[in-house]
Structures are given as structure tokens and as C-alpha cells.
Amino acid sequence: MYYMIYSTKMTSKGTITIAAPLRKALGLKTGQRLSLRLSKTGNIVLDSGTTMEEFEAYRDKVIKNIPEHLKGLSGDALREAAAKAWTSSYDEQGRRVR
């Protein structure tokens, strides 16, 4: 069920250590901000978010699908254009098309 299992101990200040193999597998870097959420079932969910490099790569993919006359929009118009560009990358069965 699980790919890796490690245990850790919380310090008096609430700090925990994430084992090196987990950090490596998740691509976590020193100083990176992480988000922790408590699920309804009482599990803690760790979210490493998106790195700037990942964001920029994703942004570049989306932007190339936006027609030139729609670039430079802001707010709702930009979100709508980006969503349309993103969804046009998939067929009716949810398969990615190139």
C-alpha cells in the first residue's frame, strides 16, 4: 500500500524531520515552504506546492495555447482563456492530445 514508511519524533518545539529518502523522492529542498493540512479522517497531508520552475514551465505551456489577441488579459478573462487552453489539450475521454 505504501511505497516508503519512516517514523520520526517531534521535538518540544513541534519540529519533525522528514527522512532523506522521502525528501529526495518528493524533490524537497532546504528552505522550501511546505503546507500541512488536517484531513477529516485525522491524517496530516503534506503539500510541497509548486516550485517556481514548475510554475514557469506550466505557465509557458498554457500561454502558448492562448491566441495572441487574448494575451495581456487579467482577472476573470485571463482565467477563462487559460482554462479553455488547458481543456483543449484533452479529448472527450480525458486523454492528453498534443
Side-chain angles (χ1 to χ4, degrees):
M1 175 169 194
Y2 294 104
Y3 174 63
M4 293 183 196
I5 298 175
Y6 292 91
S7 64
T8 188
K9 187 191 296 187
M10 185 169 57
T11 69
S12 62
K13 293 186 178 186
T15 303
I16 62 169
T17 300
I18 300 171
L22 289 172
R23 292 193 313 266
K24 185 176 180 180
L26 295 170
L28 300 177
K29 305 291 183 212
T30 301
Q32 180 177 350
R33 297 199 56 87
L34 304 171
S35 174
L36 299 172
R37 294 187 308 267
L38 183 61
S39 74
K40 291 180 181 179
T41 59
N43 293 319
I44 294 174
V45 178
L46 175 99
D47 184 356
S48 61
T50 303
T51 66
M52 187 55 71
E53 292 81 14
E54 291 168 334
F55 170 77
E56 289 172 345
Y58 175 74
R59 178 200 60 201
D60 293 344
K61 284 182 184 179
V62 170
I63 286 176
K64 77 175 186 180
N65 292 321
I66 298 175
E68 206 55 46
H69 70 281
L70 295 177
K71 290 183 181 175
L73 300 176
S74 61
D76 291 335
L78 180 58
R79 277 189 289 281
E80 185 177 317
K84 188 174 184 178
W86 176 254
T87 56
S88 68
S89 299
Y90 294 88
D91 65 14
E92 294 78 29
Q93 287 78 36
R95 295 182 303 238
R96 183 137 173 93
V97 295
R98 304 231 178 228

